[in-house]
Amino acid sequence: MIQYKIKKFQYLDPNIDVIEMKNEDIEVHVSTLGCTILSIFTKDKNEVKSDIVLGFDDRNIYLKQDKYIGAIVGRVAGRIKDAMFTLNEQEYHLEKNNGENALHGGLLGFDKQIFKYEMIDQGICLHYLSKDLEAGYPGNMEVSISYTLVENKLIAHYEATCDQDSIVNITNHTYFNLAGCGTVLNHELLIDSDEILCSDETGCANGVRLKVKDTPFDFNTSKQIGRDIDKDHEQLKIGGGYDHYYIFNQTSPSVILKDKKSGRVMKVNSDQKGAQIYSANFLDGTLKGKNNWYFNKRDAICIETQSAPNAIHIEENPSTILRKGNKYSATTIFEFYIESEEVL
Ligand code: GAL
């Protein structure tokens, strides 16, 4: 049984709501500002509930933060080289919000938009109309984001249609910390992936594939995130740690994150081809989060399932193109366990 509570977003715009949903296993709080996941509460091995995602008690921060904490990012997640692209022989210019590049949908991307919403079976569905040329992208795009709770799973499902050919690549940018505080360097991570996409000096995927075998990027066998993160590798220097697109192999689950101390395990399954794995390298201790926690570098890990970043420039048939009349659809399942209960 799911229970819901709807609250007005504290201190701010009265048009923003917070929806709290819970079942026997998990409790998830979602804001209609950016479909942001404010909290996910799960039990540890001693049945103690903690919030395992980064977020802010001071809700005003969500309006100004540029770290996309908990938010849905779009239209196009990741960096687009030189903030421009060509589609159907027409050049489109995007907002440059990351040096010369466009990042995560621009200055007022989906993370800064207020979504309408409806309650659906086992969860919530949020809607937004992104108007033609908003942030520079062509076409009126109708976007739906749903979050449902099914037993120990949070299912995130994204859909979009557009009245012109356009590009889209939506992801959720939740920062996970299964211990509920401190660093994630001691979390164990498994990623079912043999190849990553390399980044250029601006952090933009450049289309070069790197085989992870015998490099610090290899997570095919579970290892602590901190084990190799500071190793001498050109790509780790560019990212300031892990900040790369991992191309999934075809097996599942694709990613398993474990915190041995609390016993919490999260498995991530997705129909997407890969995920940007980001070890929160740009957090610098200045953002004051929940419970007076100042977020530091590597206090969390983001598992941003999506199509390849910068696909429009680096793929022959870019997977991010959405043709008029077609439907974009993507699903990612976050599944939460206690280690002893784990079913593999
Ligand atoms: C990630 C991106 C990082 C950084 C972060 C937001 O998705 O890969 O480079 O921009 O978002 O702070």
Side-chain angles (χ1 to χ4, degrees):
M1 253 297 272
I2 286 220
Q3 293 168 8
Y4 302 100
K5 211 187 266 174
I6 296 171
K7 293 182 165 177
K8 287 286 166 198
F9 207 99
Q10 284 157 314
Y11 322 123
L12 268 179
D13 189 328
N15 296 316
I16 301 173
D17 284 357
V18 169
I19 295 88
E20 299 184 355
M21 319 188 275
K22 69 172 171 182
N23 65 13
E24 288 70 26
D25 298 299
I26 33 178
E27 176 169 345
V28 177
H29 299 179
V30 175
S31 162
T32 58
L33 175 70
C35 307
T36 302
I37 293 183
L38 304 173
S39 295
I40 301 179
F41 292 92
T42 64
K43 285 182 194 152
D44 70 3
K45 62 183 176 199
N46 301 315
E47 304 267 299
V48 179
K49 258 187 166 187
S50 303
D51 192 350
I52 56 158
V53 302
L54 270 52
F56 306 102
D57 287 330
D58 177 358
R59 303 265 162 92
N60 295 305
I61 298 176
Y62 285 104
L63 278 183
K64 339 178 252 227
Q65 59 133 348
D66 60 1
K67 302 289 182 277
Y68 306 87
I69 292 184
I72 282 292
V73 296
R75 290 187 192 189
V76 178
R79 292 174 176 79
I80 295 183
K81 189 70 187 162
D82 294 332
M84 59 82 62
F85 66 95
T86 305
L87 183 64
N88 300 338
E89 284 155 27
Q90 163 117 24
E91 232 177 63
Y92 293 97
H93 292 270
L94 306 171
E95 291 168 356
K96 294 185 177 174
N97 62 335
N98 192 258
E100 289 299 301
N101 300 326
L103 175 68
H104 290 336
L107 290 167
L108 294 175
F110 292 175
D111 60 299
K112 295 286 184 300
Q113 305 298 339
I114 301 175
F115 283 59
K116 298 197 168 103
Y117 68 98
E118 58 181 320
M119 306 319 288
I120 56 169
D121 189 29
Q122 318 216 58
I124 178 177
C125 188
L126 301 108
H127 304 279
Y128 176 63
L129 171 66
S130 171
K131 298 241 172 80
D132 186 26
L133 294 179
E134 185 176 291
Y137 294 100
N140 292 297
M141 185 174 283
E142 305 226 26
V143 179
S144 302
I145 307 294
S146 74
Y147 296 122
T148 48
L149 302 188
V150 179
E151 294 161 351
N152 59 338
K153 301 179 194 75
L154 166 63
I155 304 174
H157 178 69
Y158 319 135
E159 286 186 3
T161 52
C162 198
D163 63 2
Q164 288 179 41
D165 290 356
S166 193
I167 58 173
V168 67
N169 191 14
I170 298 172
T171 193
N172 176 278
H173 210 298
T174 291
Y175 287 64
F176 291 96
N177 181 316
L178 300 183
C181 62
T183 179
V184 293
L185 291 175
N186 53 4
H187 281 36
E188 305 251 334
L189 180 66
L190 180 145
I191 311 173
D192 178 36
S193 164
D194 293 336
E195 282 185 329
I196 61 162
L197 291 183
C198 293
S199 305
D200 68 13
E201 68 293 345
T202 68
C204 199
N206 60 9
V208 176
R209 287 174 174 230
L210 174 79
K211 292 220 183 297
V212 298
K213 197 168 180 323
D214 300 325
T215 78
F217 289 93
D218 191 354
F219 282 93
N220 279 295
T221 309
S222 190
K223 71 176 181 194
Q224 291 204 339
I225 294 173
R227 200 186 82 177
D228 297 331
I229 201 169
D230 289 320
K231 289 244 165 97
D232 187 22
H233 192 288
E234 194 211 342
Q235 283 295 314
L236 283 173
K237 283 192 195 123
I238 289 175
Y242 298 107
D243 191 1
H244 293 82
Y245 187 74
Y246 277 77
I247 301 160
F248 293 150
N249 301 330
Q250 284 314 301
T251 54
S252 80
S254 308
V255 181
I256 303 179
L257 183 67
K258 272 188 202 174
D259 170 42
K260 284 215 163 134
K261 210 163 158 210
S262 65
R264 291 194 181 93
V265 182
M266 178 176 76
K267 291 184 183 175
V268 182
N269 274 298
S270 181
D271 59 6
Q272 297 299 284
K273 292 207 178 76
Q276 184 79 7
I277 302 290
Y278 171 56
S279 54
N281 314 311
F282 292 121
L283 297 181
D284 58 5
T286 54
L287 278 176
K288 185 180 169 195
K290 299 165 186 170
N291 306 318
N292 294 324
W293 176 9
Y294 283 85
F295 300 139
N296 278 305
K297 194 169 163 170
R298 297 153 187 187
D299 275 359
I301 180 113
C302 303
I303 300 158
E304 306 162 41
T305 49
Q306 56 180 279
S307 295
N310 201 28
I312 194 70
H313 290 295
I314 63 175
E315 289 182 348
E316 212 175 295
N317 294 305
S319 48
T320 46
I321 293 179
L322 174 64
R323 298 282 172 201
K324 178 183 170 179
N326 286 357
K327 189 195 265 183
Y328 159 87
S329 159
T331 305
T332 296
I333 303 175
F334 301 93
E335 200 167 352
F336 301 96
Y337 295 89
I338 301 302
E339 185 143 47
S340 54
E341 297 175 354
E342 194 184 328
V343 183
L344 283 170

